[in-house]
Structure formats: C-alpha cells, structure tokens
Amino acid sequence: MRAFISLTKSRQFLILSIAASLAFVHVSLAWAADDTNLLFNSLIFWPAAFVLCKEVDPPRAPSSGWVYLGVGILLTTLVSGVLVKGDFLYLYPFLVGIGSVITLAGLSGSGKYWKPLTLLFVLGVPEILMFALINPAPLTARFADIILWYTGYDVVLDGVWLHLPGGSVEVNQACSGLRAMTRLLGMAVLALLCLPRRWTLGQVVMLPVISIVIAFLSNSIRVALLAILKATNRPAAFDSLHGGSTSQLFSIASIVLLMGVVWLLIQYPSAEGEPN
C-alpha cells in the first residue's frame, strides 16, 4: 500500500512538474507579448492553481491510463511555445490544465481538480468569449457621457462618439472596459476559490457581479478623462492614460477596491455559521 501511494505521488509530482514548465513558457510569452495585465494575472493564477492541485489527494491511476496519457500529452503538446500566438495565449492555461488533469486522473477523476481548472479557465478563456460575443462600447460611452454631463462639460453623445468643444473620442470595443471586466471577474473567482472560508450563496453570486460593476465604472471614468484630455489638447497625458503607465493605475485601483469588498464580505459569518 505504501509503495502504491509513493508511486502515485511520484506520478503526480512528475506531471505537475511538466505542467509547471509549460506555465513558465506561458509567463515568458506573456512577458514577450508585453501584455502587462495577462502577465500580472498569470503570476498569481498559475501558483494558485498548483497550490489547489496539491490539496487534492493523488488519484488512483485509471484502468485506461495509456489512453488518457496519450490524450493528455496531445493537449499539452498543442500548447507548446511554437503554436502559441495571438488570442491562443489566453486559451493556453486552460488547455494545459485539461491535459495535465486527464494525464493525471483520467476523465473520471478529473472532477476532483475543478478548482484549479476553474482558475485556469478564468485566466484567459472568458476574455476570448466576451470579445467574440459582447460589445459594451455604447453603454460605456453612455456612462462616460453622464459623468461628463454631471461634471459640467458640454458633451454631445453620438453613438459611440463623445464630442466636446476642442475634440472628440470614439469608444470602441477595446476601450469599452471588457478586458478590465474579465480580468477583475477572474480576481473575484480567485478570492472565492482560494480564501479559507465557506462562502454563502449570496456572496458567491454577489462578488462576481460587484467585480464587473467596479471594472465598468472605473473604465467609464477613464474614458471620460480621455475625452477631457483630448478636448484640452494634452496628447502626452492622453497617450499615458489610453495605454501607458497611467492606465495601469485604474487597474490597480479597481483591484484594491475589489479586495476591500472581499474584506467586508468576510466580516460576515460563513456558510457554516461560524464567526470570522
């Protein structure tokens, strides 16, 4: 029995070591692509996923282990550095996770690893799906218009265009806040899965919704400021806020605000009724 446990743990260690190597490839590619947000999330989500994997007892090798091993190796091979480019970089972590879990536990035992697989899923897949299905640019333009109007600016909204005396800006899908919403949603899922407490159903529903709202409102404020900078002819400040260092301040502020919400939620009793 001890020999079996030792063999199982050795097998788990070997497979997780291969997955860690593929994770390093992903982080390196995110660095090379100069995708700051993806790089930041990858440095958090990958280690968290491995920690959650270590919490799962090593499963017994499936009877059809050679078949699962072949499928797992195929999936992990598909995400080698040569094939990763463009949007596939966001699909990479989830495919590595699926391939590793199938290799380790087979299809029947993969359910035990739902937590790390969920983390690797929200690391990139929602961003691909949301950009393919949703374009909240008109809604973002509307909220930015309301912000500008309430702060006293003579603004005219024309579809996704914000017109101010002195300049105009267009709110396209890339500037709509969709990326910020998917990234902050991932941080909410990270908190729900990794914090050592049992969340109530209301909190499980509330936290992702709050994360999306925070990201949307933060980006709407950023768009309003971009319109002001454009109208006042301040190109350097506009470029910094549009995609430079200043834009990262809004991401940081959104994360800090979300963590504040998480802190408030954990002040309430958990699903087990125990005080925190």
Side-chain angles (χ1 to χ4, degrees), residues 193-232:
L193 293 180
C194 295
L195 289 182
R197 74 174 265 120
R198 292 182 62 85
W199 300 90
T200 65
L201 178 60
Q203 291 171 338
V204 171
V205 175
M206 184 188 308
L207 191 58
V209 172
I210 291 176
S211 69
I212 293 174
V213 171
I214 290 174
F216 176 79
L217 293 178
S218 173
N219 186 71
S220 297
I221 295 173
R222 187 181 73 91
V223 170
L225 290 175
L226 284 170
I228 294 172
L229 293 175
K230 186 72 172 180
T232 54

Short mmCIF file of all heavy atoms in Angstrom, two decimals, residues 193-232:
data_model
loop_
_atom_site.label_atom_id
_atom_site.label_comp_id
_atom_site.label_asym_id
_atom_site.label_seq_id
_atom_site.Cartn_x
_atom_site.Cartn_y
_atom_site.Cartn_z
N LEU A 193 -12.35 30.94 -4.54
CA LEU A 193 -11.80 29.58 -4.51
C LEU A 193 -10.64 29.41 -3.54
O LEU A 193 -10.44 28.31 -3.01
CB LEU A 193 -11.33 29.19 -5.91
CG LEU A 193 -12.40 29.02 -6.99
CD1 LEU A 193 -11.78 28.62 -8.31
CD2 LEU A 193 -13.45 28.01 -6.56
N CYS A 194 -9.89 30.46 -3.29
CA CYS A 194 -8.64 30.31 -2.55
C CYS A 194 -8.70 30.77 -1.10
O CYS A 194 -7.88 30.33 -0.29
CB CYS A 194 -7.52 31.06 -3.27
SG CYS A 194 -7.12 30.37 -4.89
N LEU A 195 -9.62 31.65 -0.76
CA LEU A 195 -9.68 32.07 0.64
C LEU A 195 -10.24 30.95 1.50
O LEU A 195 -11.20 30.28 1.11
CB LEU A 195 -10.54 33.33 0.77
CG LEU A 195 -9.93 34.61 0.20
CD1 LEU A 195 -10.86 35.80 0.42
CD2 LEU A 195 -8.58 34.91 0.83
N PRO A 196 -9.66 30.73 2.67
CA PRO A 196 -10.07 29.59 3.52
C PRO A 196 -11.37 29.85 4.28
O PRO A 196 -11.37 30.05 5.49
CB PRO A 196 -8.88 29.45 4.48
CG PRO A 196 -8.33 30.83 4.59
CD PRO A 196 -8.53 31.47 3.24
N ARG A 197 -12.47 29.85 3.56
CA ARG A 197 -13.79 30.00 4.19
C ARG A 197 -14.85 29.44 3.26
O ARG A 197 -14.61 29.25 2.07
CB ARG A 197 -14.09 31.48 4.51
CG ARG A 197 -14.43 32.31 3.30
CD ARG A 197 -14.85 33.72 3.66
NE ARG A 197 -16.29 33.89 3.77
CZ ARG A 197 -16.91 34.28 4.88
NH1 ARG A 197 -16.21 34.48 5.98
NH2 ARG A 197 -18.21 34.45 4.90
N ARG A 198 -16.01 29.15 3.82
CA ARG A 198 -17.14 28.69 3.03
C ARG A 198 -18.06 29.87 2.79
O ARG A 198 -18.64 30.42 3.72
CB ARG A 198 -17.89 27.56 3.77
CG ARG A 198 -17.10 26.28 3.87
CD ARG A 198 -17.89 25.19 4.57
NE ARG A 198 -19.10 24.86 3.83
CZ ARG A 198 -19.14 23.99 2.82
NH1 ARG A 198 -18.03 23.38 2.43
NH2 ARG A 198 -20.27 23.73 2.21
N TRP A 199 -18.17 30.27 1.53
CA TRP A 199 -18.97 31.44 1.18
C TRP A 199 -20.46 31.06 1.15
O TRP A 199 -20.82 29.94 0.82
CB TRP A 199 -18.57 31.96 -0.20
CG TRP A 199 -17.14 32.39 -0.30
CD1 TRP A 199 -16.08 31.62 -0.66
CD2 TRP A 199 -16.61 33.68 -0.01
NE1 TRP A 199 -14.92 32.35 -0.63
CE2 TRP A 199 -15.21 33.62 -0.24
CE3 TRP A 199 -17.17 34.89 0.40
CZ2 TRP A 199 -14.38 34.72 -0.07
CZ3 TRP A 199 -16.34 35.99 0.57
CH2 TRP A 199 -14.97 35.90 0.35
N THR A 200 -21.29 32.04 1.47
CA THR A 200 -22.73 31.83 1.32
C THR A 200 -23.08 31.95 -0.15
O THR A 200 -22.32 32.51 -0.95
CB THR A 200 -23.52 32.87 2.12
OG1 THR A 200 -23.28 34.18 1.57
CG2 THR A 200 -23.11 32.86 3.60
N LEU A 201 -24.24 31.44 -0.53
CA LEU A 201 -24.67 31.51 -1.92
C LEU A 201 -24.79 32.96 -2.39
O LEU A 201 -24.41 33.30 -3.51
CB LEU A 201 -26.01 30.78 -2.09
CG LEU A 201 -26.61 30.80 -3.50
CD1 LEU A 201 -25.67 30.15 -4.50
CD2 LEU A 201 -27.98 30.11 -3.52
N GLY A 202 -25.31 33.81 -1.51
CA GLY A 202 -25.44 35.23 -1.87
C GLY A 202 -24.10 35.88 -2.16
O GLY A 202 -23.96 36.68 -3.09
N GLN A 203 -23.08 35.53 -1.37
CA GLN A 203 -21.75 36.08 -1.59
C GLN A 203 -21.13 35.55 -2.87
O GLN A 203 -20.44 36.29 -3.58
CB GLN A 203 -20.87 35.75 -0.39
CG GLN A 203 -21.25 36.47 0.89
CD GLN A 203 -20.51 35.96 2.09
OE1 GLN A 203 -20.00 34.84 2.10
NE2 GLN A 203 -20.44 36.76 3.15
N VAL A 204 -21.37 34.26 -3.18
CA VAL A 204 -20.84 33.67 -4.41
C VAL A 204 -21.42 34.39 -5.63
O VAL A 204 -20.72 34.59 -6.63
CB VAL A 204 -21.16 32.16 -4.46
CG1 VAL A 204 -20.82 31.58 -5.83
CG2 VAL A 204 -20.41 31.42 -3.38
N VAL A 205 -22.68 34.77 -5.56
CA VAL A 205 -23.32 35.48 -6.67
C VAL A 205 -22.91 36.95 -6.68
O VAL A 205 -22.65 37.55 -7.73
CB VAL A 205 -24.85 35.34 -6.59
CG1 VAL A 205 -25.52 36.18 -7.67
CG2 VAL A 205 -25.26 33.88 -6.73
N MET A 206 -22.84 37.55 -5.50
CA MET A 206 -22.62 38.98 -5.38
C MET A 206 -21.22 39.42 -5.81
O MET A 206 -21.06 40.43 -6.52
CB MET A 206 -22.86 39.42 -3.93
CG MET A 206 -22.75 40.93 -3.70
SD MET A 206 -22.82 41.32 -1.92
CE MET A 206 -24.30 40.44 -1.44
N LEU A 207 -20.20 38.67 -5.39
CA LEU A 207 -18.83 39.12 -5.63
C LEU A 207 -18.48 39.23 -7.11
O LEU A 207 -17.90 40.24 -7.54
CB LEU A 207 -17.85 38.19 -4.90
CG LEU A 207 -16.40 38.68 -4.84
CD1 LEU A 207 -16.32 40.04 -4.17
CD2 LEU A 207 -15.54 37.68 -4.07
N PRO A 208 -18.80 38.24 -7.96
CA PRO A 208 -18.53 38.42 -9.40
C PRO A 208 -19.28 39.60 -10.01
O PRO A 208 -18.72 40.33 -10.85
CB PRO A 208 -18.99 37.09 -10.02
CG PRO A 208 -18.89 36.10 -8.91
CD PRO A 208 -19.27 36.85 -7.68
N VAL A 209 -20.54 39.81 -9.59
CA VAL A 209 -21.31 40.94 -10.11
C VAL A 209 -20.66 42.25 -9.71
O VAL A 209 -20.51 43.17 -10.53
CB VAL A 209 -22.77 40.87 -9.61
CG1 VAL A 209 -23.53 42.14 -10.00
CG2 VAL A 209 -23.47 39.64 -10.18
N ILE A 210 -20.26 42.36 -8.45
CA ILE A 210 -19.61 43.58 -7.97
C ILE A 210 -18.31 43.83 -8.71
O ILE A 210 -17.98 44.98 -9.06
CB ILE A 210 -19.36 43.49 -6.45
CG1 ILE A 210 -20.69 43.54 -5.69
CG2 ILE A 210 -18.46 44.62 -5.99
CD1 ILE A 210 -20.54 43.36 -4.19
N SER A 211 -17.56 42.77 -8.99
CA SER A 211 -16.29 42.94 -9.71
C SER A 211 -16.51 43.52 -11.10
O SER A 211 -15.75 44.41 -11.54
CB SER A 211 -15.56 41.60 -9.80
OG SER A 211 -16.24 40.70 -10.65
N ILE A 212 -17.53 43.05 -11.78
CA ILE A 212 -17.84 43.57 -13.12
C ILE A 212 -18.27 45.02 -13.05
O ILE A 212 -17.86 45.85 -13.87
CB ILE A 212 -18.92 42.70 -13.79
CG1 ILE A 212 -18.37 41.30 -14.07
CG2 ILE A 212 -19.41 43.34 -15.08
CD1 ILE A 212 -19.40 40.33 -14.60
N VAL A 213 -19.09 45.36 -12.06
CA VAL A 213 -19.57 46.75 -11.91
C VAL A 213 -18.40 47.68 -11.61
O VAL A 213 -18.30 48.77 -12.18
CB VAL A 213 -20.63 46.82 -10.79
CG1 VAL A 213 -20.97 48.27 -10.47
CG2 VAL A 213 -21.89 46.08 -11.20
N ILE A 214 -17.50 47.26 -10.71
CA ILE A 214 -16.34 48.09 -10.38
C ILE A 214 -15.50 48.35 -11.62
O ILE A 214 -15.09 49.49 -11.89
CB ILE A 214 -15.49 47.41 -9.29
CG1 ILE A 214 -16.22 47.42 -7.95
CG2 ILE A 214 -14.13 48.11 -9.16
CD1 ILE A 214 -15.50 46.64 -6.87
N ALA A 215 -15.21 47.31 -12.39
CA ALA A 215 -14.39 47.47 -13.59
C ALA A 215 -15.07 48.36 -14.62
O ALA A 215 -14.43 49.21 -15.25
CB ALA A 215 -14.09 46.10 -14.20
N PHE A 216 -16.39 48.20 -14.78
CA PHE A 216 -17.12 49.01 -15.76
C PHE A 216 -17.11 50.48 -15.37
O PHE A 216 -16.84 51.36 -16.21
CB PHE A 216 -18.55 48.50 -15.88
CG PHE A 216 -19.40 49.31 -16.80
CD1 PHE A 216 -19.30 49.16 -18.18
CD2 PHE A 216 -20.29 50.25 -16.30
CE1 PHE A 216 -20.08 49.92 -19.04
CE2 PHE A 216 -21.07 51.02 -17.15
CZ PHE A 216 -20.96 50.86 -18.53
N LEU A 217 -17.41 50.78 -14.12
CA LEU A 217 -17.46 52.18 -13.69
C LEU A 217 -16.07 52.81 -13.73
O LEU A 217 -15.93 53.98 -14.12
CB LEU A 217 -18.04 52.26 -12.28
CG LEU A 217 -19.52 51.88 -12.13
CD1 LEU A 217 -19.96 51.96 -10.68
CD2 LEU A 217 -20.40 52.76 -13.00
N SER A 218 -15.05 52.05 -13.33
CA SER A 218 -13.69 52.58 -13.37
C SER A 218 -13.28 52.92 -14.80
O SER A 218 -12.69 53.99 -15.05
CB SER A 218 -12.72 51.55 -12.78
OG SER A 218 -11.38 51.95 -12.94
N ASN A 219 -13.61 52.06 -15.74
CA ASN A 219 -13.26 52.33 -17.13
C ASN A 219 -14.07 53.49 -17.70
O ASN A 219 -13.57 54.25 -18.53
CB ASN A 219 -13.49 51.08 -17.98
CG ASN A 219 -12.99 51.26 -19.39
OD1 ASN A 219 -11.80 51.30 -19.65
ND2 ASN A 219 -13.93 51.37 -20.33
N SER A 220 -15.32 53.63 -17.28
CA SER A 220 -16.14 54.75 -17.75
C SER A 220 -15.53 56.08 -17.30
O SER A 220 -15.52 57.06 -18.07
CB SER A 220 -17.57 54.62 -17.22
OG SER A 220 -18.19 53.46 -17.73
N ILE A 221 -15.02 56.12 -16.08
CA ILE A 221 -14.34 57.32 -15.60
C ILE A 221 -13.09 57.58 -16.43
O ILE A 221 -12.79 58.73 -16.80
CB ILE A 221 -13.99 57.17 -14.11
CG1 ILE A 221 -15.26 57.09 -13.26
CG2 ILE A 221 -13.11 58.33 -13.64
CD1 ILE A 221 -15.01 56.76 -11.81
N ARG A 222 -12.36 56.53 -16.75
CA ARG A 222 -11.15 56.68 -17.58
C ARG A 222 -11.50 57.23 -18.96
O ARG A 222 -10.80 58.10 -19.48
CB ARG A 222 -10.45 55.33 -17.71
CG ARG A 222 -9.10 55.38 -18.41
CD ARG A 222 -8.48 53.99 -18.50
NE ARG A 222 -9.18 53.18 -19.48
CZ ARG A 222 -8.84 53.10 -20.77
NH1 ARG A 222 -7.79 53.80 -21.22
NH2 ARG A 222 -9.49 52.33 -21.60
N VAL A 223 -12.58 56.73 -19.55
CA VAL A 223 -12.99 57.22 -20.87
C VAL A 223 -13.38 58.69 -20.80
O VAL A 223 -13.05 59.48 -21.70
CB VAL A 223 -14.16 56.37 -21.41
CG1 VAL A 223 -14.77 57.02 -22.65
CG2 VAL A 223 -13.69 54.96 -21.73
N ALA A 224 -14.07 59.07 -19.74
CA ALA A 224 -14.45 60.48 -19.57
C ALA A 224 -13.20 61.36 -19.46
O ALA A 224 -13.14 62.45 -20.06
CB ALA A 224 -15.33 60.64 -18.33
N LEU A 225 -12.21 60.91 -18.71
CA LEU A 225 -10.96 61.67 -18.60
C LEU A 225 -10.23 61.74 -19.94
O LEU A 225 -9.63 62.77 -20.28
CB LEU A 225 -10.05 61.03 -17.54
CG LEU A 225 -10.52 61.16 -16.09
CD1 LEU A 225 -9.59 60.37 -15.17
CD2 LEU A 225 -10.56 62.63 -15.67
N LEU A 226 -10.27 60.66 -20.72
CA LEU A 226 -9.65 60.68 -22.04
C LEU A 226 -10.30 61.73 -22.94
O LEU A 226 -9.61 62.42 -23.70
CB LEU A 226 -9.78 59.29 -22.69
CG LEU A 226 -8.83 58.20 -22.17
CD1 LEU A 226 -9.23 56.84 -22.73
CD2 LEU A 226 -7.39 58.51 -22.54
N ALA A 227 -11.62 61.83 -22.85
CA ALA A 227 -12.32 62.83 -23.65
C ALA A 227 -11.91 64.24 -23.25
O ALA A 227 -11.72 65.12 -24.11
CB ALA A 227 -13.84 62.66 -23.49
N ILE A 228 -11.74 64.45 -21.95
CA ILE A 228 -11.32 65.77 -21.47
C ILE A 228 -9.91 66.10 -21.95
O ILE A 228 -9.62 67.21 -22.41
CB ILE A 228 -11.40 65.83 -19.94
CG1 ILE A 228 -12.85 65.71 -19.47
CG2 ILE A 228 -10.78 67.12 -19.41
CD1 ILE A 228 -13.00 65.57 -17.96
N LEU A 229 -9.01 65.13 -21.85
CA LEU A 229 -7.63 65.35 -22.28
C LEU A 229 -7.55 65.60 -23.79
O LEU A 229 -6.74 66.41 -24.25
CB LEU A 229 -6.77 64.14 -21.91
CG LEU A 229 -6.56 63.91 -20.41
CD1 LEU A 229 -5.81 62.61 -20.17
CD2 LEU A 229 -5.80 65.09 -19.78
N LYS A 230 -8.39 64.91 -24.55
CA LYS A 230 -8.42 65.11 -25.99
C LYS A 230 -8.92 66.51 -26.32
O LYS A 230 -8.37 67.19 -27.20
CB LYS A 230 -9.34 64.07 -26.64
CG LYS A 230 -9.34 64.10 -28.15
CD LYS A 230 -8.03 63.57 -28.72
CE LYS A 230 -8.11 63.41 -30.23
NZ LYS A 230 -6.84 62.88 -30.77
N ALA A 231 -9.95 66.94 -25.62
CA ALA A 231 -10.54 68.26 -25.89
C ALA A 231 -9.61 69.39 -25.47
O ALA A 231 -9.64 70.48 -26.07
CB ALA A 231 -11.88 68.39 -25.17
N THR A 232 -8.79 69.17 -24.46
CA THR A 232 -7.87 70.20 -23.99
C THR A 232 -6.49 70.10 -24.63
O THR A 232 -5.56 70.78 -24.20
CB THR A 232 -7.73 70.12 -22.45
OG1 THR A 232 -7.35 68.80 -22.07
CG2 THR A 232 -9.05 70.48 -21.78
#
